[in-house]
Amino acid sequence: MHSLTLQTGEATVVDGDILGRLGFAASSEVDGMLDVTAKLEAVAEKTFDADENATEFVFSLAADGTVASKMTLSSAGLLTVVDDIVIKSGG
């Protein structure tokens, strides 16, 4: 089985540490930079120990040039959306 594992280099993981991040960028921006316009991060919810490894996924997107968190999925399964959820008619 093939897999990709992202791993933090931190010896101790505390609340708010990013364990791994996938960033997405256009191939060439106007200024020549590869600006990240979307990212998915695994973030520690608490300090890790032998019995604790609570992690949340944070989904971030750009709308006006600034990448910002739009949605978070907690280790408890709670989905938090920054704005409204829209369900199309008949959906």
Side-chain angles (χ1 to χ4, degrees), residues 79 81 83-91:
L79 182 66
V81 178
D83 207 349
D84 296 330
I85 295 176
V86 178
I87 299 173
K88 67 179 188 171
S89 60

Side-chain angles (χ1 to χ4, degrees), residues 17-78:
D17 278 355
I18 297 171
L19 305 174
R21 175 187 294 145
L22 293 175
F24 301 86
S27 61
S28 90
E29 295 286 326
V30 175
D31 59 8
M33 301 294 292
L34 294 178
D35 295 335
V36 172
T37 59
K39 63 184 176 180
L40 172 61
E41 297 173 313
V43 180
E45 290 180 319
K46 299 178 181 179
T47 297
F48 282 22
D49 60 28
D51 300 319
E52 181 64 62
N53 64 352
T55 305
E56 64 186 7
F57 265 135
V58 180
F59 300 82
S60 299
L61 301 167
D64 59 2
T66 302
V67 178
S69 172
K70 304 295 183 186
M71 184 172 65
T72 303
L73 179 60
S74 75
S75 62
L78 177 63

Side-chain angles (χ1 to χ4, degrees), residues 1-22:
M1 179 173 132
H2 298 285
S3 65
L4 173 66
T5 301
L6 303 177
Q7 181 177 2
T8 182
E10 298 294 326
T12 303
V13 176
V14 298
D15 183 19
D17 278 355
I18 297 171
L19 305 174
R21 175 187 294 145
L22 293 175

